[in-house]
Amino acid sequence: MVAGFCGFFCLMNMLAFDIGEVTAESQTTALYHDSPTSCRIFENSDIIGLVAFCSAFQPNETSYILPNTTTRLQLFRVVNLSTNISLAPNMDQLLVLEMIACNLQNITSVMFEGLRNLQRISLMKNSIIELPPDTFRHNPLLESVDLSNNFLFSIDRITHSLRNLRLLMNLNLSKNKGISFVSNEDFKPMNNTSLKSLDLADCIIERIDDEAFKWFNCLASLNVSRNLLGDIALKNLSNTLSQDCLKDFRASEMRDEMYFSLHFLLWLTYSEVEYLDLSKNKFSYFPLEGYRQLKILNVDYCGITFAPYQKFSGMSKLEILLMKQHFIKNINQQFKSASKLKILDLSEFSGEITLMSVNIAGYAFENQKELEILYMNSLPLKNGILKNMFNGLSNLKEIYLSRCYIPLIEEYSFETLENLVSIDLSNNLISELANNTLFGLRNVRKILLDGNRLSFLNNSYPFEFTPKLEVLSLNQNKIFSFPSGMFLNLNVLGIIRVGDNFIQPWTEEILPFSGNLTLFMLKKNKISFFTKLMLEDLNKVELVDLSGNPINCSHCSTKDLQIWLESTNTSFVKLASEEKNFLCHEPQELKGITVPNADLDFLDDYCIPKKVDVAKIIYSTTVPLLVIAIILALVWYRWHWNIKYMLFLARSRTKTYKDQVNAHRYEFDAFVSYCDKDLPWIRNELLRSLETEEDRITCCLPDRDFIAGCSVLNNIAAAIEQSRTTLLILSNEYLSSDWCKFEAEIAQHKLFEDTRNGLILILLEPLHKEKITKNLQYVIQTRTCIQWTKNTAGKKLFWKRIRLAIMNPEEKTWFTHIT
């Protein structure tokens, strides 16, 4: 929690001290153990003096062997305590007495005789039904009484015992399942006390009378959470509480109310409350104006949603806002006036996260200059993280964005988060981190990217701008390898977690030689052998987890690995894995044996390089080559004009023959690739103009000429193969179709393989530049490209050019179809 709230929380603790079931053993250091009394003595952690924790205790006996400086006595599950004998009459310095789960039913004033300085007493988790009126007559300085988790059925059964405790400030009656109402007379005996804090949580209270709390001079803290209070009870509560005195109010999870009382909410807006917990309720309307002193607001699990005009306009002092599981689909300027916010929880969208999306406007948090922690886990940010989304959060220390369905992060999106220390982006759909994605995070220490789709195949260096990074977690991604030197600038990096990926052996240095690397977790990857650079990298780490990798012990590098394991100072651990490190998976005879224990003598037969006579190899290859080169040079010198002429004749005859053969092998003159929207133009214009008796051109159309039952891919390849040319009918609709673009790619590759120049482009309309790919741009610039026109004269020229492009001038008399 943020340090700035310590003062406020300390105030709340003083007003509402809750003596929990906590043993001194968990908070302090033992000094000695007294076995005869089953008591242990500890140094006190919160008040001056010692703590005595006892699991067995004899009244009026044990206390005499405890140190005189004991100021806190804890009796935990001490049974059979006598109610007619003083517990510790000699312990007049005792300030705190806790008798927890001691099966107490009856309490008498005799038990506390001699404890005149007692300030706090806890009788929680017993079986108390009532307290006699004189119970605390020997303890006038009591400030806090805890009677929680007992069998109280009526409040007036205990308030008479508290009537003379003028210093009493805190009373805890929570978890008494018999208390069902608070009458006007229940707290009347306490009208002379100084009560500031009252806890009535986890009872079964249904009724509160309209003057039930009028006996308290200025009640500052009230907890009525997890009761059955309806609208009438809460209205009465507002009539009997002071708006000026109330500082801490808690009413979470009203279990028998459809909607929380709107009357009471409006009453709260005019109060001086500083801490307000209304979590796990339902609201028909939640007013955001007012609450001028509010510092902490908890409306977790309320499904809060706001009207478009609603803003936190009155909460100028709000420091902590907890809105987990809300229903806010658009986050823009709702928090503009809450400029003092330090913690904001907007996690766990209450709608159907797989079907809906939350939109965060640019500069939505521009006024939250003091915000330190932002929770947005399970918020469906399906549009990704966009630039300016987090602008203004200059003091943010931690941000949580796990399970948000984030597909991408725009570059420079975090550039204003200069003080960010930790960022959690785990379990999203991120497949790429560009070089400038994390730009600006120069102070970040911890980055969690587990459970995404990262691969780093594009040789990006996203961590270049995070020089202070200490913990990097990339578990469960799709990483096969790391770009060379990816981590070399991270000199303070201590932990790298890349388990459950597809990482294979690397051959370039990836880890910095900083001396700070503590853990490198590589479990469950695809490492089958180890290169020398891998071993050098692993020498830089204190702890390495390589469990679950399929090591092939028949690889020649295994001998080097075995030697390295005997000499390295690196330690090997297995975290969350049952399989050992360096376990052989191959060959079958070594499966299940660790590398240090494997017998690798068989590697000597084929892994040790044999001596080679380099001079003999050079001589036997260079001399014949030199002789051949001399002969060829002499032949060329003597008959080079004759050779040139023969090559020219051969090329000419080959080309003529191929042209004649190919002309007769085509079944179609043109394969036509088009989108469905342009089909009317194909039928009304193209076919009527080309497939005529005069031109005798045959076109291949997918919906007319493709073979039924054959795959679309095979049909396309066969059509291109059997057609002299390919017509691409280009339009903006064509470029928007992935299938059409696929057809165009196949046509280009197929014609290139056949060394044909038969690609013809027809432009039906001006194309949008953003839809034109680089490949298509190149094709437009280097291939026959004809623009369609509706002008009559232009149409004649258009069709003439199309016919010439399909039927080359020198091939006018050749036709592809059989007559």
Side-chain angles (χ1 to χ4, degrees):
M1 200 59 76
V2 181
F5 301 112
C6 180
F8 182 73
F9 283 127
C10 291
L11 173 64
M12 291 299 103
N13 287 334
M14 291 175 62
L15 293 176
F17 179 80
D18 181 17
I19 304 176
E21 185 181 344
V22 180
T23 65
E25 180 181 14
S26 64
Q27 297 178 343
T28 51
T29 305
L31 296 179
Y32 62 86
H33 176 206
D34 189 294
S35 55
T37 61
S38 297
C39 291
R40 283 169 289 179
I41 311 301
F42 302 89
E43 290 181 345
N44 213 325
S45 59
D46 56 352
I47 56 178
I48 299 173
L50 301 176
V51 178
F53 175 80
C54 301
S55 56
F57 192 90
Q58 291 297 324
N60 204 15
E61 292 182 13
T62 305
S63 61
Y64 287 98
I65 61 175
L66 296 177
N68 294 330
T69 54
T70 301
T71 56
R72 182 172 183 173
L73 176 60
Q74 295 178 320
L75 306 182
F76 181 66
R77 292 182 179 175
V78 178
V79 296
N80 299 323
L81 283 172
S82 173
T83 60
N84 300 317
I85 304 175
S86 176
L87 285 171
N90 63 309
M91 300 184 70
D92 57 354
Q93 299 300 314
L94 196 67
L95 301 178
V96 180
L97 173 62
E98 296 166 280
M99 304 171 69
I100 300 171
C102 295
N103 198 28
L104 295 172
Q105 297 179 357
N106 300 312
I107 301 293
T108 65
S109 61
V110 176
M111 297 176 69
F112 310 126
E113 189 174 344
L115 306 180
R116 59 178 181 271
N117 289 309
L118 196 65
Q119 296 177 3
R120 304 196 309 241
I121 187 170
S122 175
L123 298 169
M124 67 181 296
K125 291 192 174 183
N126 284 290
S127 304
I128 300 170
I129 298 176
E130 62 179 349
L131 293 179
D134 64 344
T135 301
F136 302 114
R137 67 188 180 90
H138 301 295
N139 321 109
L141 302 182
L142 271 175
E143 297 176 3
S144 177
V145 176
D146 186 351
L147 291 166
S148 62
N149 218 334
N150 277 282
F151 293 158
L152 300 179
F153 289 92
S154 179
I155 294 175
D156 64 355
R157 294 290 189 94
I158 58 98
T159 51
H160 288 280
S161 68
L162 308 174
R163 66 184 185 279
N164 294 322
L165 301 180
R166 297 182 178 275
L167 301 179
L168 184 65
M169 297 178 65
N170 309 299
L171 176 60
N172 189 346
L173 300 176
S174 64
K175 298 182 180 179
N176 280 283
K177 300 300 183 181
I179 301 178
S180 60
F181 65 91
V182 184
S183 72
N184 287 337
E185 302 297 319
D186 282 345
F187 289 110
K188 183 177 180 180
M190 297 180 63
N191 64 332
N192 290 324
T193 66
S194 303
L195 197 71
K196 300 295 181 186
S197 173
L198 175 61
D199 193 341
L200 292 169
D202 288 292
C203 298
I204 56 170
I205 300 173
E206 296 181 89
R207 191 188 93 217
I208 297 179
D209 290 348
D210 58 352
E211 295 184 346
F213 300 113
K214 74 174 184 178
W215 311 107
F216 303 126
N217 181 37
C218 194
L219 192 64
S221 175
L222 176 62
N223 188 355
V224 291
S225 299
R226 294 173 295 283
N227 278 288
L228 307 175
L229 300 180
D231 189 60
I232 295 175
L234 289 171
K235 281 182 180 178
N236 290 340
L237 190 60
S238 66
N239 293 333
T240 188
L241 291 175
S242 168
Q243 288 177 319
D244 294 331
C245 290
L246 190 65
K247 304 295 181 186
D248 176 2
F249 182 73
R250 310 179 193 203
S252 67
E253 201 173 356
M254 292 290 102
R255 294 174 298 193
D256 198 38
E257 184 65 10
M258 185 64 181
Y259 290 105
F260 196 86
S261 171
L262 181 58
H263 176 276
F264 192 79
L265 284 176
L266 294 172
W267 180 86
L268 283 171
T269 62
Y270 294 99
S271 72
E272 299 292 314
V273 67
E274 297 180 13
Y275 181 101
L276 181 58
D277 182 359
L278 299 173
S279 59
K280 298 184 179 180
N281 287 299
K282 293 182 180 180
F283 303 102
S284 59
Y285 172 78
F286 192 87
L288 297 180
E289 299 77 17
Y291 313 98
R292 55 185 176 273
Q293 299 298 328
L294 190 63
K295 295 182 179 179
I296 301 176
L297 173 61
N298 185 354
V299 284
D300 281 343
Y301 302 103
C302 294
I304 286 282
T305 186
F306 300 133
Y309 60 85
Q310 279 191 291
K311 299 178 182 179
F312 290 84
S313 55
M315 305 181 195
S316 59
K317 296 185 178 181
L318 191 64
E319 298 180 2
I320 300 179
L321 176 57
L322 309 176
M323 293 180 58
K324 187 178 294 182
Q325 211 172 87
H326 59 85
F327 198 75
I328 304 173
K329 291 188 285 186
N330 292 293
I331 299 173
N332 39 60
Q333 296 295 315
Q334 291 98 326
F335 310 105
K336 185 174 181 179
S337 299
S339 58
K340 299 292 184 182
L341 271 177
K342 289 182 169 58
I343 299 177
L344 176 60
D345 190 346
L346 295 171
S347 57
E348 296 188 25
F349 185 66
S350 64
E352 180 53 58
I353 192 170
T354 58
L355 301 177
M356 305 183 74
S357 180
V358 171
N359 299 312
I360 302 178
Y363 304 97
F365 304 106
E366 63 179 338
N367 278 18
Q368 277 63 60
K369 309 272 183 207
E370 298 184 20
L371 193 68
E372 296 183 13
I373 303 177
L374 177 58
Y375 296 96
M376 303 182 82
N377 293 330
S378 299
L379 203 63
L381 302 176
K382 296 182 181 179
N383 293 326
I385 297 176
L386 309 179
K387 192 177 180 182
N388 302 323
M389 185 179 284
F390 298 121
N391 269 34
L393 300 177
S394 56
N395 200 44
L396 195 67
K397 301 291 192 303
E398 302 174 25
I399 185 169
Y400 298 88
L401 292 160
S402 176
R403 302 181 303 279
C404 292
Y405 290 85
I406 298 170
L408 57 90
I409 304 174
E410 282 191 356
E411 292 188 85
Y412 303 102
S413 294
F414 304 124
E415 66 176 330
T416 62
L417 307 184
E418 56 188 25
N419 288 307
L420 195 70
V421 174
S422 175
I423 181 169
D424 184 356
L425 287 161
S426 59
N427 299 301
N428 283 293
L429 307 174
I430 304 167
S431 59
E432 181 181 3
L433 293 178
N435 288 345
N436 296 305
T437 299
L438 304 178
F439 180 85
L441 301 183
R442 59 176 178 269
N443 287 305
V444 73
R445 262 80 169 172
K446 183 178 182 181
I447 297 178
L448 304 182
L449 284 160
D450 305 296
N452 279 282
R453 301 176 179 180
L454 295 169
S455 62
F456 302 112
L457 293 178
N458 58 350
N459 286 334
S460 61
Y461 293 86
F463 307 109
E464 182 179 357
F465 301 105
T466 59
K468 296 184 180 180
L469 188 61
E470 297 176 3
V471 178
L472 177 60
S473 194
L474 292 162
N475 292 324
Q476 296 178 334
N477 278 278
K478 296 183 178 180
I479 304 170
F480 288 83
S481 62
F482 294 109
S484 175
M486 184 175 183
F487 307 120
L488 292 184
N489 67 312
L490 304 177
N491 293 318
V492 296
L493 189 61
I495 297 176
I496 304 176
R497 296 192 288 258
V498 287
D500 294 277
N501 278 284
F502 302 92
I503 297 173
Q504 299 177 1
W506 60 90
T507 57
E508 295 181 287
E509 184 182 22
I510 62 172
L511 298 182
F513 193 77
S514 61
N516 294 314
L517 274 171
T518 304
L519 173 64
F520 191 17
M521 193 173 79
L522 283 157
K523 70 181 184 69
K524 294 183 180 179
N525 277 283
K526 302 297 180 184
I527 299 174
S528 58
F529 64 91
F530 290 79
T531 65
K532 289 185 178 180
L533 274 172
M534 287 176 67
L535 299 180
E536 290 178 11
D537 271 341
L538 296 180
N539 271 331
K540 304 170 186 175
V541 191
E542 291 183 23
L543 300 173
V544 174
D545 184 358
L546 282 157
S547 57
N549 280 282
I551 296 178
N552 182 1
C553 289
S554 64
H555 194 274
C556 292
S557 66
T558 315
K559 275 266 189 179
D560 295 331
L561 175 62
Q562 198 175 55
I563 296 170
W564 177 80
L565 287 172
E566 295 176 357
S567 60
T568 184
N569 293 322
T570 301
S571 300
F572 302 98
V573 295
K574 53 176 184 175
L575 305 174
S577 175
E578 296 299 324
E579 189 169 309
K580 296 178 181 179
N581 281 281
F582 303 105
L583 205 63
C584 294
H585 282 238
E586 293 182 58
Q588 186 62 36
E589 54 268 23
L590 292 178
K591 189 172 183 179
I593 301 175
T594 58
V595 171
N597 298 323
D599 184 0
L600 303 177
D601 290 342
F602 68 95
L603 295 179
D604 295 340
D605 296 335
Y606 63 91
C607 289
I608 298 177
K610 296 178 172 57
K611 293 183 179 180
V612 179
D613 192 339
V614 178
K616 184 182 290 186
I617 292 174
I618 294 174
Y619 178 80
S620 60
T621 55
T622 55
V623 171
L625 290 175
L626 184 60
V627 171
I628 293 170
I630 293 171
I631 294 171
L632 291 175
L634 292 172
V635 171
W636 178 257
Y637 177 77
R638 178 66 181 84
W639 293 289
H640 64 280
W641 287 113
N642 305 64
I643 294 171
K644 285 183 179 180
Y645 180 69
M646 291 172 64
L647 290 174
F648 172 75
L649 288 177
R651 280 201 305 270
S652 298
R653 290 172 181 171
T654 302
K655 183 178 186 303
T656 302
Y657 174 76
K658 283 185 176 179
D659 289 344
Q660 292 176 352
V661 171
N662 289 339
H664 292 283
R665 78 178 175 89
Y666 297 125
E667 185 178 348
F668 302 99
D669 294 299
F671 166 67
V672 186
S673 174
Y674 57 89
C675 68
D676 292 339
K677 185 181 177 184
D678 299 327
L679 185 58
W681 184 89
I682 298 295
R683 290 173 176 170
N684 299 330
E685 296 287 348
L686 187 138
L687 294 182
R688 289 181 180 179
S689 300
L690 295 183
E691 290 189 340
T692 63
E693 286 296 324
E694 180 182 354
D695 295 318
R696 299 174 66 188
I697 293 175
T698 303
C699 296
C700 176
L701 272 64
D703 58 343
R704 187 185 69 183
D705 301 303
F706 275 11
I707 300 172
C710 188
S711 72
V712 177
L713 188 61
N714 289 338
N715 268 321
I716 292 172
I720 295 171
E721 179 74 25
Q722 296 168 11
S723 301
R724 175 187 292 132
T725 58
T726 297
L727 299 184
L728 302 185
I729 313 302
L730 299 181
S731 64
N732 288 306
E733 191 71 17
Y734 185 95
L735 297 182
S736 299
S737 169
D738 291 335
W739 189 253
C740 290
K741 287 189 284 186
F742 180 62
E743 285 185 10
E745 289 289 331
I746 292 177
Q748 293 175 55
H749 287 290
K750 191 67 181 171
L751 293 173
F752 178 79
E753 288 175 6
D754 294 347
T755 65
R756 285 193 280 152
N757 197 18
L759 189 62
I760 303 170
L761 278 64
I762 296 178
L763 305 183
L764 287 186
E765 59 184 353
L767 302 181
H768 298 153
K769 289 184 177 179
E770 64 272 11
K771 293 186 177 182
I772 301 176
T773 63
K774 290 183 178 179
N775 284 348
L776 184 58
Q777 182 68 37
Y778 175 78
V779 172
I780 291 174
Q781 293 173 355
T782 59
R783 294 288 188 275
T784 303
C785 187
I786 306 174
Q787 176 72 53
W788 166 248
T789 179
K790 295 182 180 180
N791 179 276
T792 304
K795 283 185 179 180
K796 291 183 179 180
L797 179 60
F798 174 85
W799 292 118
K800 182 178 180 181
R801 294 184 63 195
I802 292 293
R803 295 183 191 101
L804 288 173
I806 294 176
M807 308 294 293
N808 291 328
E810 63 271 22
E811 300 174 348
K812 277 185 180 177
T813 59
W814 300 344
F815 296 94
T816 61
H817 53 281
I818 300 172
T819 59

